[in-house]
C-alpha cells in the first residue's frame, strides 16, 4: 500500500472513531469494529482505489450519525461490494464473503 493511501485510510479510521465517540460516547466493542472496517477499507482500496474507499468510509460515518449505532462489518462489506461492482470492478473474496 502506498504511503498516501495508508495515511488516507488511517485518517478515515480516526474520523470514524471521532464520530463514534461523539455520537455513542463509548468505545465498547469499537476495536473489533475498527479492525473489520480497516480490512474492508483496505480491500476497497486495493480493488478500486481511494475514491471508492472514501465513499465507504463516508457511509460508515453517516450510518453512525443517522442510526446512532455502528454498522456491522458484514453490512459495510455488502455495501462496499455493491459500490465496487457498480464501478465495474470485480469484488475480492473478502467482500464476496459478506
Amino acid at each position: 500500500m502506498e504511503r498516501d493511501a495508508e495515511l488516507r485510510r488511517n485518517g478515515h479510521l480516526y474520523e470514524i472513531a471521532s464520530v463514534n465517540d461523539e455520537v455513542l460516547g463509548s468505545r465498547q466493542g469499537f476495536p473489533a469494529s475498527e479492525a473489520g472496517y480497516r480490512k474492508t477499507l483496505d480491500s476497497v482500496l486495493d480493488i478500486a482505489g481511494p475514491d471508492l474507499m472514501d465513499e465507504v468510509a463516508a457511509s460508515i460515518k453517516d450510518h453512525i450519525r443517522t442510526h446512532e449505532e455502528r454498522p456491522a462489518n458484514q453490512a459495510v462489506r455488502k455495501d462496499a461490494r455493491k459500490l465496487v461492482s457498480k464501478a465495474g470492478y470485480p469484488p475480492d473474496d473478502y467482500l464476496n464473503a459478506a
Side-chain angles (χ1 to χ4, degrees):
M1 176 182 315
E2 292 182 22
R3 183 75 176 141
D4 290 343
E6 182 181 0
L7 291 172
R8 194 165 172 172
R9 188 226 31 225
N10 289 344
H12 285 306
L13 292 170
Y14 177 81
E15 289 172 357
I16 290 167
S18 294
V19 171
N20 177 83
D21 292 350
E22 173 187 319
V23 174
L24 304 178
S26 169
R27 287 223 176 169
Q28 183 176 359
F30 184 74
S33 295
E34 182 182 33
Y37 299 157
R38 178 185 307 271
K39 284 184 77 172
T40 301
L41 293 176
D42 285 344
S43 182
V44 172
L45 181 62
D46 290 343
I47 296 167
D51 291 338
L52 278 179
M53 178 188 64
D54 294 345
E55 286 186 48
V56 172
S59 74
I60 295 168
K61 292 178 254 185
D62 289 341
H63 182 94
I64 294 170
R65 286 185 186 109
T66 304
H67 300 285
E68 296 183 353
E69 66 179 13
R70 284 186 298 274
N73 190 50
Q74 186 170 3
V76 172
R77 285 167 43 196
K78 284 180 183 179
D79 291 343
R81 183 179 64 220
K82 290 176 190 174
L83 279 173
V84 165
S85 294
K86 187 176 178 180
Y89 298 98
D92 64 5
D93 290 340
Y94 180 72
L95 295 180
N96 278 328

